Amino acid sequence: MTDGTPAAGADIRRACWWGTGVFAVAAVAAVIVRSLRPVSVVVDVVLFAVGCVAFGAAYLLGLARSRSERIAVTGLYFLSGSAPADVRRSLLGALGVQVVVALATAIARPYTSLAAGTLVPMYGLGLCGLWAARHGTFPPRLDVDPPGGGRRRGR
């Protein structure tokens, strides 16, 4: 579950980039063709909802792991110190693309439904958290009882 290798969680990374691609195509198309705005809103809301579920799942998995490991918010959702560099670059890169596309398309057509695209980065953030909660490596907590009884040092 927590091997932390670059190959671990490849499905999450793939889903993150697929969602980012679908969002970018739908958002840019909606900027160009007004009649595609409802499609873009549906894509935005679906990705936001999936992101919320992933974020919550990551939180619950992180909470369970926090009993034996030191889980930090930056490590869980921003992969700081918990993921290999290529995984971190990939997932945070997708998140960055989502933010740029969301802001660019909302600015290109202000006061329109394209503002819903600003919800999409929740998808990237949720998948970052889900990757870390499932596959990230975190340092052990030193203030808990180890298996077999006794207390660890370093409290």
Side-chain angles (χ1 to χ4, degrees):
M1 178 173 158
T2 59
D3 55 7
T5 62
D11 54 338
I12 294 172
R13 292 169 63 188
R14 219 175 1 265
C16 194
W17 278 106
W18 270 101
T20 301
V22 169
F23 164 61
V25 168
V28 170
V31 166
I32 298 166
V33 180
R34 182 184 187 110
S35 63
L36 292 177
R37 289 183 187 166
V39 174
S40 179
V41 170
V42 169
V43 169
D44 299 344
V45 171
V46 167
L47 290 176
F48 175 70
V50 170
C52 287
V53 170
F55 191 94
Y59 177 77
L60 292 175
L61 289 169
L63 190 62
R65 288 184 65 181
S66 73
R67 293 181 179 158
S68 61
E69 297 168 283
R70 285 188 295 145
I71 309 288
V73 171
T74 56
L76 188 61
Y77 292 106
F78 295 106
L79 308 171
S80 177
S82 63
D86 62 329
V87 171
R88 188 171 51 252
R89 266 192 309 273
S90 178
L91 289 171
L92 292 179
L95 176 60
V97 170
Q98 292 165 21
V99 169
V100 168
V101 170
L103 293 177
T105 55
I107 290 169
R109 298 286 185 256
Y111 309 109
T112 67
S113 61
L114 289 172
T118 60
L119 299 172
V120 173
M122 185 66 179
Y123 177 74
L125 194 61
L127 291 183
C128 283
L130 192 59
W131 191 97
R134 284 185 171 175
H135 307 288
T137 54
F138 298 95
R141 286 184 57 173
L142 300 177
D143 61 341
V144 296
D145 290 335
R151 299 283 287 172
R152 290 185 182 169
R153 292 181 162 184
R155 184 169 183 197

